[in-house]
Amino acid sequence: ISPGCVGGRQAHPPKASKIWSQKMNIKERRKAIRSALSATLSKETVSLRGHLFNEFPLIIEDKLEAIKKTNEVIKILNSIGLENELQRCSIKKVRAGKGKNRGRKYKTRKGPLIVVSKECPLIKSSINIPGIDICIINNLNAELLAPGTTPGRLTIYTESAIEKLKSENLFTNNIKKAE
């Protein structure tokens, strides 16, 4: 059982009690989210990141949140001019190095982020589309809006998500509480 012997335990094993998350000031975090949000509305910044799109900015009506089929989501994304973006994200590249052996064999590109106002069927139906992430407006963070610390991710907002952002003053320092 001693660590120096054959068949013994590890000398200094990883501990489950260690806290891996890094603390960040609340105002600093909100400021980071605000700057990442503003970068999603800049056409030059989004195109510099490598996204392929026709129309900009993308604000879609609330009917999108009610979609239950993945095929319907893909048809809608193609109809708004994102077929090249979906093809770009579907390419899988084999990672260099030992990450291949450790469960991280393929690298995929980040595609559009869909921001909705509440829990909806769209969240479940768009999980299997490669490169696409979906998030409720309250749960937005800087990593989703600027993956790899590069700002300007292509973001699709629903109308109600924009209304919620505006009415509740989200990510500002004077947040209104929901009544």
Side-chain angles (χ1 to χ4, degrees):
I1 18 177
S2 64
C5 300
V6 175
R9 64 176 176 82
Q10 265 188 310
H12 303 287
K15 296 176 178 57
S17 61
K18 185 169 182 177
I19 299 169
W20 292 95
S21 62
Q22 183 179 4
K23 284 203 165 192
M24 189 175 188
N25 297 335
I26 293 171
K27 287 184 178 180
E28 192 177 0
R29 185 178 69 235
R30 287 179 186 157
K31 191 171 188 176
I33 294 172
R34 282 195 307 268
S35 65
L37 267 172
S38 65
T40 62
L41 299 174
S42 169
K43 191 172 188 174
E44 297 82 33
T45 312
V46 174
S47 60
L48 274 174
R49 202 165 188 289
H51 292 290
L52 307 171
F53 54 89
N54 296 336
E55 297 175 26
F56 194 82
L58 293 167
I59 300 173
I60 298 181
E61 54 189 38
D62 295 331
K63 293 178 185 175
L64 182 72
E65 292 183 7
I67 295 176
K68 293 182 179 178
K69 292 284 196 179
T70 305
N71 243 349
E72 293 175 20
V73 176
I74 293 172
K75 284 180 186 175
I76 288 175
L77 292 174
N78 286 335
S79 68
I80 60 174
L82 295 178
E83 60 273 342
N84 293 335
E85 179 70 12
L86 292 178
Q87 286 177 353
R88 183 185 76 86
C89 296
S90 64
I91 298 169
K92 288 198 304 188
K93 183 180 170 189
V94 177
R95 181 185 303 271
K98 289 187 179 172
K100 288 192 295 282
N101 307 332
R102 296 176 179 160
R104 302 181 297 271
K105 186 172 184 179
Y106 296 107
K107 284 172 66 174
T108 56
R109 295 179 178 175
K110 288 283 185 184
L113 170 69
I114 302 173
V115 180
V116 294
S117 62
K118 59 184 183 301
E119 279 287 328
C120 59
L122 179 68
I123 294 173
K124 193 172 181 183
S125 64
S126 62
I127 286 174
N128 284 333
I129 304 172
I132 288 187
D133 291 327
I134 186 158
C135 182
I136 300 170
I137 188 81
N138 293 352
N139 301 338
L140 269 181
N141 58 43
E143 181 59 35
L144 280 173
L145 292 166
T149 69
T150 309
R153 185 172 186 180
L154 181 63
T155 309
I156 303 168
Y157 300 96
T158 61
E159 289 174 346
S160 56
I162 298 281
E163 278 300 314
K164 194 169 184 180
L165 181 70
K166 187 177 180 182
S167 66
E168 294 182 14
N169 286 341
L170 292 177
F171 313 118
T172 61
N173 292 331
N174 51 357
I175 294 176
K176 292 180 185 174
K177 298 292 181 192
E179 296 162 8

Short mmCIF file of all heavy atoms in Angstrom, two decimals, residues 119-150:
data_model
loop_
_atom_site.label_atom_id
_atom_site.label_comp_id
_atom_site.label_asym_id
_atom_site.label_seq_id
_atom_site.Cartn_x
_atom_site.Cartn_y
_atom_site.Cartn_z
N GLU A 119 -35.87 28.43 -21.53
CA GLU A 119 -35.80 27.01 -21.88
C GLU A 119 -36.80 26.74 -22.99
O GLU A 119 -37.97 27.11 -22.88
CB GLU A 119 -36.17 26.14 -20.68
CG GLU A 119 -35.08 25.91 -19.68
CD GLU A 119 -34.00 24.95 -20.17
OE1 GLU A 119 -34.29 24.03 -20.93
OE2 GLU A 119 -32.85 25.16 -19.76
N CYS A 120 -36.36 26.10 -24.07
CA CYS A 120 -37.25 25.84 -25.20
C CYS A 120 -36.81 24.57 -25.92
O CYS A 120 -35.71 24.08 -25.70
CB CYS A 120 -37.26 27.05 -26.14
SG CYS A 120 -35.65 27.46 -26.79
N PRO A 121 -37.68 24.02 -26.80
CA PRO A 121 -37.33 22.80 -27.53
C PRO A 121 -36.13 22.97 -28.46
O PRO A 121 -35.47 21.99 -28.80
CB PRO A 121 -38.60 22.48 -28.34
CG PRO A 121 -39.69 23.25 -27.72
CD PRO A 121 -39.08 24.41 -27.02
N LEU A 122 -35.84 24.19 -28.87
CA LEU A 122 -34.71 24.44 -29.77
C LEU A 122 -33.38 24.02 -29.15
O LEU A 122 -32.48 23.57 -29.85
CB LEU A 122 -34.66 25.93 -30.15
CG LEU A 122 -33.54 26.37 -31.07
CD1 LEU A 122 -33.76 25.78 -32.45
CD2 LEU A 122 -33.44 27.86 -31.14
N ILE A 123 -33.28 24.13 -27.84
CA ILE A 123 -32.04 23.76 -27.15
C ILE A 123 -31.71 22.30 -27.39
O ILE A 123 -30.57 21.94 -27.71
CB ILE A 123 -32.15 24.07 -25.64
CG1 ILE A 123 -32.25 25.58 -25.43
CG2 ILE A 123 -30.96 23.51 -24.87
CD1 ILE A 123 -32.53 25.98 -24.00
N LYS A 124 -32.72 21.44 -27.29
CA LYS A 124 -32.51 20.01 -27.48
C LYS A 124 -32.34 19.65 -28.96
O LYS A 124 -31.57 18.77 -29.31
CB LYS A 124 -33.69 19.24 -26.88
CG LYS A 124 -33.44 17.77 -26.74
CD LYS A 124 -34.54 17.11 -25.96
CE LYS A 124 -34.28 15.64 -25.81
NZ LYS A 124 -35.35 14.94 -25.12
N SER A 125 -33.05 20.37 -29.83
CA SER A 125 -33.02 20.01 -31.25
C SER A 125 -31.74 20.46 -31.96
O SER A 125 -31.41 19.94 -33.01
CB SER A 125 -34.24 20.58 -31.97
OG SER A 125 -34.21 21.98 -31.95
N SER A 126 -31.01 21.43 -31.40
CA SER A 126 -29.81 21.90 -32.10
C SER A 126 -28.51 21.37 -31.49
O SER A 126 -27.44 21.81 -31.87
CB SER A 126 -29.79 23.43 -32.11
OG SER A 126 -29.74 23.91 -30.80
N ILE A 127 -28.62 20.44 -30.57
CA ILE A 127 -27.42 19.88 -29.92
C ILE A 127 -26.53 19.16 -30.93
O ILE A 127 -25.31 19.29 -30.90
CB ILE A 127 -27.82 18.93 -28.77
CG1 ILE A 127 -28.31 19.72 -27.59
CG2 ILE A 127 -26.66 18.04 -28.36
CD1 ILE A 127 -28.87 18.87 -26.48
N ASN A 128 -27.13 18.41 -31.86
CA ASN A 128 -26.35 17.55 -32.75
C ASN A 128 -25.81 18.24 -33.98
O ASN A 128 -25.20 17.58 -34.82
CB ASN A 128 -27.19 16.34 -33.17
CG ASN A 128 -27.29 15.32 -32.06
OD1 ASN A 128 -26.41 15.24 -31.22
ND2 ASN A 128 -28.36 14.56 -32.05
N ILE A 129 -26.02 19.53 -34.13
CA ILE A 129 -25.47 20.24 -35.29
C ILE A 129 -24.04 20.64 -34.93
O ILE A 129 -23.81 21.33 -33.94
CB ILE A 129 -26.31 21.48 -35.63
CG1 ILE A 129 -27.77 21.08 -35.86
CG2 ILE A 129 -25.76 22.16 -36.87
CD1 ILE A 129 -28.70 22.24 -36.03
N PRO A 130 -23.04 20.19 -35.72
CA PRO A 130 -21.65 20.46 -35.34
C PRO A 130 -21.33 21.95 -35.39
O PRO A 130 -21.71 22.66 -36.32
CB PRO A 130 -20.84 19.69 -36.37
CG PRO A 130 -21.77 19.39 -37.48
CD PRO A 130 -23.14 19.39 -36.92
N GLY A 131 -20.63 22.43 -34.37
CA GLY A 131 -20.18 23.81 -34.31
C GLY A 131 -21.15 24.78 -33.70
O GLY A 131 -20.78 25.88 -33.33
N ILE A 132 -22.41 24.39 -33.58
CA ILE A 132 -23.43 25.31 -33.08
C ILE A 132 -23.59 25.13 -31.57
O ILE A 132 -23.69 24.01 -31.08
CB ILE A 132 -24.77 25.09 -33.79
CG1 ILE A 132 -24.66 25.61 -35.20
CG2 ILE A 132 -25.91 25.75 -33.05
CD1 ILE A 132 -25.93 25.62 -35.97
N ASP A 133 -23.60 26.25 -30.86
CA ASP A 133 -23.90 26.26 -29.44
C ASP A 133 -25.18 27.04 -29.26
O ASP A 133 -25.49 27.93 -30.04
CB ASP A 133 -22.79 26.94 -28.64
CG ASP A 133 -21.51 26.12 -28.63
OD1 ASP A 133 -21.61 24.89 -28.65
OD2 ASP A 133 -20.43 26.73 -28.60
N ILE A 134 -25.92 26.72 -28.21
CA ILE A 134 -27.16 27.44 -27.91
C ILE A 134 -27.15 27.77 -26.44
O ILE A 134 -26.70 26.98 -25.61
CB ILE A 134 -28.40 26.62 -28.33
CG1 ILE A 134 -29.65 27.44 -28.14
CG2 ILE A 134 -28.48 25.32 -27.62
CD1 ILE A 134 -30.80 26.97 -28.97
N CYS A 135 -27.63 28.96 -26.10
CA CYS A 135 -27.54 29.43 -24.73
C CYS A 135 -28.72 30.32 -24.40
O CYS A 135 -29.20 31.07 -25.26
CB CYS A 135 -26.23 30.19 -24.55
SG CYS A 135 -25.96 30.76 -22.89
N ILE A 136 -29.16 30.24 -23.16
CA ILE A 136 -30.19 31.16 -22.66
C ILE A 136 -29.49 32.48 -22.33
O ILE A 136 -28.35 32.48 -21.84
CB ILE A 136 -30.88 30.55 -21.43
CG1 ILE A 136 -31.53 29.23 -21.81
CG2 ILE A 136 -31.92 31.50 -20.85
CD1 ILE A 136 -32.03 28.42 -20.66
N ILE A 137 -30.16 33.59 -22.56
CA ILE A 137 -29.55 34.91 -22.42
C ILE A 137 -28.99 35.14 -21.01
O ILE A 137 -27.96 35.77 -20.85
CB ILE A 137 -30.53 36.03 -22.84
CG1 ILE A 137 -29.86 37.39 -22.90
CG2 ILE A 137 -31.72 36.09 -21.92
CD1 ILE A 137 -29.11 37.66 -24.11
N ASN A 138 -29.63 34.59 -19.98
CA ASN A 138 -29.15 34.78 -18.61
C ASN A 138 -27.84 34.05 -18.36
O ASN A 138 -27.08 34.43 -17.48
CB ASN A 138 -30.18 34.29 -17.59
CG ASN A 138 -31.43 35.13 -17.60
OD1 ASN A 138 -31.49 36.17 -18.25
ND2 ASN A 138 -32.43 34.70 -16.87
N ASN A 139 -27.58 32.98 -19.12
CA ASN A 139 -26.40 32.15 -18.89
C ASN A 139 -25.23 32.49 -19.82
O ASN A 139 -24.27 31.73 -19.89
CB ASN A 139 -26.76 30.67 -19.07
CG ASN A 139 -27.84 30.24 -18.13
OD1 ASN A 139 -28.06 30.86 -17.09
ND2 ASN A 139 -28.55 29.18 -18.49
N LEU A 140 -25.32 33.60 -20.54
CA LEU A 140 -24.23 33.98 -21.44
C LEU A 140 -22.96 34.23 -20.66
O LEU A 140 -23.00 34.74 -19.54
CB LEU A 140 -24.59 35.26 -22.20
CG LEU A 140 -25.28 35.10 -23.53
CD1 LEU A 140 -25.52 36.47 -24.14
CD2 LEU A 140 -24.50 34.25 -24.49
N ASN A 141 -21.83 33.87 -21.25
CA ASN A 141 -20.55 34.19 -20.64
C ASN A 141 -19.55 34.56 -21.72
O ASN A 141 -19.81 34.39 -22.91
CB ASN A 141 -20.04 33.03 -19.76
CG ASN A 141 -19.88 31.76 -20.53
OD1 ASN A 141 -19.37 31.75 -21.64
ND2 ASN A 141 -20.29 30.65 -19.94
N ALA A 142 -18.42 35.08 -21.32
CA ALA A 142 -17.42 35.57 -22.26
C ALA A 142 -16.82 34.43 -23.08
O ALA A 142 -16.44 34.63 -24.23
CB ALA A 142 -16.33 36.33 -21.52
N GLU A 143 -16.75 33.23 -22.53
CA GLU A 143 -16.18 32.10 -23.26
C GLU A 143 -17.08 31.69 -24.42
O GLU A 143 -16.59 31.30 -25.48
CB GLU A 143 -15.95 30.92 -22.32
CG GLU A 143 -15.35 29.70 -22.96
CD GLU A 143 -13.99 29.94 -23.61
OE1 GLU A 143 -13.20 30.74 -23.11
OE2 GLU A 143 -13.74 29.32 -24.66
N LEU A 144 -18.40 31.76 -24.25
CA LEU A 144 -19.31 31.43 -25.35
C LEU A 144 -19.28 32.51 -26.43
O LEU A 144 -19.34 32.21 -27.61
CB LEU A 144 -20.75 31.30 -24.82
CG LEU A 144 -21.11 29.99 -24.15
CD1 LEU A 144 -22.49 30.09 -23.52
CD2 LEU A 144 -21.06 28.85 -25.13
N LEU A 145 -19.20 33.77 -26.03
CA LEU A 145 -19.24 34.87 -26.98
C LEU A 145 -17.90 35.09 -27.68
O LEU A 145 -17.87 35.58 -28.81
CB LEU A 145 -19.65 36.17 -26.27
CG LEU A 145 -21.10 36.20 -25.78
CD1 LEU A 145 -21.29 37.35 -24.82
CD2 LEU A 145 -22.05 36.30 -26.93
N ALA A 146 -16.81 34.75 -27.02
CA ALA A 146 -15.48 34.92 -27.60
C ALA A 146 -14.63 33.69 -27.30
O ALA A 146 -13.75 33.72 -26.45
CB ALA A 146 -14.82 36.17 -27.02
N PRO A 147 -14.90 32.56 -27.98
CA PRO A 147 -14.15 31.34 -27.68
C PRO A 147 -12.66 31.49 -27.99
O PRO A 147 -12.30 32.07 -29.01
CB PRO A 147 -14.79 30.28 -28.57
CG PRO A 147 -15.79 30.95 -29.40
CD PRO A 147 -15.87 32.38 -29.02
N GLY A 148 -11.84 31.00 -27.10
CA GLY A 148 -10.40 31.11 -27.28
C GLY A 148 -9.91 32.53 -27.16
O GLY A 148 -8.89 32.88 -27.71
N THR A 149 -10.65 33.36 -26.47
CA THR A 149 -10.38 34.79 -26.23
C THR A 149 -10.33 35.63 -27.51
O THR A 149 -9.83 36.73 -27.49
CB THR A 149 -9.07 35.00 -25.44
OG1 THR A 149 -7.96 34.65 -26.26
CG2 THR A 149 -9.06 34.22 -24.15
N THR A 150 -10.88 35.11 -28.60
CA THR A 150 -10.95 35.89 -29.84
C THR A 150 -12.37 36.41 -29.99
O THR A 150 -13.30 35.62 -30.17
CB THR A 150 -10.58 35.03 -31.05
OG1 THR A 150 -9.35 34.38 -30.79
CG2 THR A 150 -10.48 35.85 -32.30
#
